[in-house]
Amino acid sequence: MARYDRTGVLDEPSGPLKQPIEPGRGPAAPASRPRPTAAGNAGGGGTGGATRSRSGRPGPAAEVKWGLPLAVVVVGMFMSVLDTSIVNVAIPSMQKEYGASLTDIEWVATAYTLCLGVIVPTSAWLGERLGLRRVYLISLLGFSAFSALCGMAGDLNSMIFFRILQAIPAGVIPVTCMTILYRMVPPNKLGIAMGMYGLGIVVAPGVGPTLGGYLVEYMNWRLIFYINVPIGVLGAIAALAVLPAFPSTSSRRFDLLGFSCISAGLFALLLAVSEGQDWGWTSYSILLLLAGGINLLVLFVIVELQRDQPLLDVRALTHWPFVNSLVLISILFVGLFAGFFYVPVFLQQGLGITAWHAGLVMLPAAVATVVVMPIAGRIYDRFGARWPAAIGLALDGVGTLLLTGLTADTPRPELAAWMVVRSAGIGLAMMPIMTSGLSSLPSTMTGSGSAFNTLFQRVSSALGLAALTALATTQTAQITADRAALISGQGADADQRILAMQEHGPAGLIPLWQQLGLQVQAEVDADVFLLAGAAALVGVVFALFLRQGRPTAATGASAEPVELG
């Protein structure tokens, strides 16, 4: 048997050559010409298979193109992530049109987040059962169709229902896309490929406010949903044309008990963090949700360890390099969404500028990420993950700490420069961290690793943003109360300028209250950015434990030999 690794290097050069056995299929019938493996069919920028010379001896590995298929995959990933940020800009317009309360309209975003968390664990199983290309096509077309229904929603209840339906394919797309990438890209090109793939993860939240702000301000808020339809249809057509047909594995049963545990557990946790502010963090309902969610997730781990064919292989969490990457990814995503949430809110609510102009301030940060991420991929392919991750986290921490100086007087170009620094750091660090972690897993765990990666992205950003919001709310109430006591002071200690303004009645104090609110918001945001920046700098220490040196085919998910013949 002649065995070759994915670089085409001969391994065990003895015995007759034979045809490969694809997952879920029996041995292939003999043929006069060799047939590439599934990995080779999937495409790669380098060596996914090998050819046989006229003498019958294996020749050099065949070059297979993967750039165009990867670009198609990035389109789907970009759409699914973009919808998590672009909708937030349209919430006020939806509230006005539907005549809904703030609590009710928030379910447009909350329902989407809850369903995403529930559906992600099924993604790996669906890809194996139906085939990755088929699942990607179904998800892309389903996302487009449900986006159109969201655009046509005539009332709040139908909008929430259609958002739940939209979240089902949106939760499947990221895991499927990442698994496709790992199946068709050779290990020595994973860094640059993940750099391209990561554009959908990081750039979409930055572009969302700009694009959404323009559509809401100058056109119609429903276009934020309709715009997904032509992009999704064209993406599906392109996928049919260029994506390889990955073999499916029909033998693995669906783990219903495991799915019930993890879906109910994630639903409880996400609901608790979404409604904790309104229901009260110490209320019985929130405490029960938190306790139930944690216990269900523990039960999920116990159940999966007993399964021969688990829904998600939790043994992936026993690999320290992978767990370390999840910790770092969580830190990055908390900081990423904190910046893209609090800065636009300050600009719109504090300074009173429009969503479109707030998006323009954020746009240079998105451009910086577009430039840096492909470069980060090349650096990873040459030097490994340790130094780009450490330097990127340091830049992220410094840029986030600079945001603690944000005030009403901060020039917008200076604010944009601070955002560029942190976005460049995130772009430099994210894909090397993610690629290093997933590459440390055996190939049989790639699907589960992709699912865990997506889960940690979603859950950490939701939990982190909820915790920061709770801190901001508490701080706002405390600082406002302290400042209000000063404003209402009487006697000799009272500020004479305030007393003069009070002589004009309540209306005379309106400018003072507006100024006070802006100062309080700036102080609270400074505390939020201080925590996020400190977390990024702590992450630098964890980044030093990442793999150093040029990645090779002998490590990680692509390490197993591939039988060629």
Side-chain angles (χ1 to χ4, degrees):
M1 178 186 303
R3 295 170 66 85
Y4 291 78
D5 64 17
R6 295 187 191 275
T7 60
V9 178
L10 186 62
D11 182 33
E12 300 181 13
S14 62
L17 295 170
K18 67 178 184 179
Q19 297 284 358
I21 299 176
E22 296 181 350
R25 302 183 182 180
S32 58
R33 296 185 64 183
R35 196 177 72 182
T37 64
N41 284 335
T47 57
T51 58
R52 193 192 297 270
S53 65
R54 293 184 179 180
S55 63
R57 298 177 61 86
E63 291 286 335
V64 189
K65 301 298 183 181
W66 50 265
L68 186 58
L70 178 60
V72 172
V73 168
V74 169
V75 171
M77 184 65 198
F78 183 86
M79 284 178 58
S80 67
V81 177
L82 178 68
D83 218 61
T84 62
S85 62
I86 194 173
V87 172
N88 293 333
V89 179
I91 290 293
S93 299
M94 293 185 199
Q95 181 182 5
K96 181 179 180 180
E97 181 165 333
Y98 293 143
S101 66
L102 181 61
T103 302
D104 291 337
I105 199 67
E106 285 178 348
W107 277 96
V108 173
T110 301
Y112 186 84
T113 302
L114 293 176
C115 190
L116 278 179
V118 170
I119 201 65
V120 165
T122 67
S123 304
W125 181 85
L126 287 171
E128 294 177 9
R129 185 80 174 186
L130 302 178
L132 291 170
R133 185 175 73 163
R134 184 178 300 170
V135 170
Y136 179 73
L137 288 170
I138 294 173
S139 300
L140 202 57
L141 292 174
F143 185 80
S144 302
F146 295 139
S147 295
L149 291 176
C150 289
M152 293 185 290
D155 55 60
L156 181 60
N157 290 332
S158 60
M159 170 62 77
I160 293 173
F161 177 70
F162 292 145
R163 284 284 283 170
I164 292 173
L165 295 180
Q166 188 191 32
I168 295 174
V172 174
I173 287 174
V175 179
T176 304
C177 290
M178 188 175 294
T179 308
I180 288 175
L181 184 151
Y182 265 75
R183 291 284 299 274
M184 70 182 180
V185 177
N188 62 324
K189 298 293 183 181
L190 276 178
I192 188 171
M194 286 291 282
M196 295 170 59
Y197 169 85
L199 294 177
I201 299 177
V202 180
V203 177
V207 173
T210 307
L211 177 60
Y214 179 81
L215 295 176
V216 170
E217 186 172 345
Y218 295 107
M219 303 181 77
N220 189 292
W221 66 265
R222 295 181 183 272
L223 287 175
I224 66 173
F225 296 111
Y226 289 138
I227 197 173
N228 291 329
V229 178
I231 298 176
V233 172
L234 292 175
I237 294 173
L240 277 173
V242 304
L243 277 187
F246 299 94
S248 59
T249 303
S250 59
S251 59
R252 189 157 75 103
R253 293 183 178 180
F254 185 73
D255 182 7
L256 182 60
L257 179 58
F259 172 72
S260 301
C261 291
I262 192 171
S263 60
L266 289 173
F267 182 89
L269 285 179
L270 291 172
L271 181 60
V273 300
S274 298
E275 300 299 327
Q277 196 62 48
D278 294 329
W279 297 356
W281 289 104
T282 58
S283 63
Y284 286 116
S285 55
I286 295 298
L287 293 177
L288 286 173
L289 284 171
L290 292 174
I294 293 172
N295 280 287
L296 283 169
L297 293 180
V298 172
L299 180 59
F300 167 75
V301 173
I302 296 173
V303 168
E304 296 304 281
L305 289 175
Q306 307 300 318
R307 290 282 194 266
D308 293 331
Q309 297 177 336
L311 179 69
L312 292 178
D313 194 344
V314 296
R315 293 174 180 83
L317 300 179
T318 63
H319 293 255
W320 163 245
F322 179 62
V323 174
N324 188 28
S325 73
L326 294 180
V327 172
L328 294 173
I329 287 296
S330 299
I331 292 174
L332 284 172
F333 266 81
V334 171
L336 174 70
F337 281 91
F340 283 130
F341 177 79
Y342 283 100
V343 172
V345 167
F346 181 83
L347 292 174
Q348 294 177 65
Q349 296 183 2
L351 302 183
I353 68 175
T354 64
W356 162 240
H357 289 91
L360 290 178
V361 176
M362 309 290 291
L363 190 59
V367 173
T369 309
V370 172
V371 173
V372 170
M373 290 198 80
I375 298 174
R378 293 183 180 276
I379 294 174
Y380 170 82
D381 285 335
R382 294 196 62 180
F383 304 106
R386 180 181 300 175
W387 294 116
I391 296 172
L393 282 162
L395 287 174
D396 177 26
V398 171
T400 306
L401 290 177
L402 287 173
L403 291 176
T404 59
L406 180 62
T407 66
D409 299 324
T410 302
R412 294 181 193 175
E414 186 175 347
L415 171 59
W418 295 347
M419 294 292 291
V420 165
V421 171
R422 69 187 300 273
S423 293
I426 292 172
L428 182 61
M430 184 168 292
M431 285 305 107
I433 292 171
M434 194 178 298
T435 308
S436 177
L438 287 171
S439 297
S440 68
L441 296 175
S443 59
T444 54
M445 294 183 179
T446 301
S448 294
S450 300
F452 277 122
N453 204 299
T454 303
L455 274 178
F456 272 75
Q457 293 173 24
R458 306 290 190 189
V459 174
S460 63
S461 58
L463 292 177
L465 199 56
L468 292 174
T469 302
L471 170 67
T473 303
T474 303
Q475 289 286 88
T476 299
Q478 182 62 49
I479 297 174
T480 302
D482 294 341
R483 297 294 178 85
L486 294 176
I487 291 177
S488 60
Q490 301 292 332
D493 295 334
D495 192 318
Q496 297 302 313
R497 293 172 299 178
I498 296 176
L499 294 177
M501 297 173 71
Q502 287 177 341
E503 292 178 358
H504 298 282
L509 292 174
I510 290 178
L512 183 60
W513 279 108
Q514 291 175 338
Q515 182 181 1
L516 172 63
L518 185 58
Q519 290 177 353
V520 169
Q521 189 174 359
E523 288 186 33
V524 170
D525 288 353
D527 292 338
V528 168
F529 294 133
L530 178 62
L531 286 177
L537 294 179
V538 171
V540 174
V541 178
F542 287 88
L544 296 177
F545 291 96
L546 294 174
R547 182 181 294 114
Q548 185 181 11
R550 185 168 185 158
T552 63
T555 62
S558 301
E560 346 177 285
V562 179
E563 295 181 357
L564 304 171

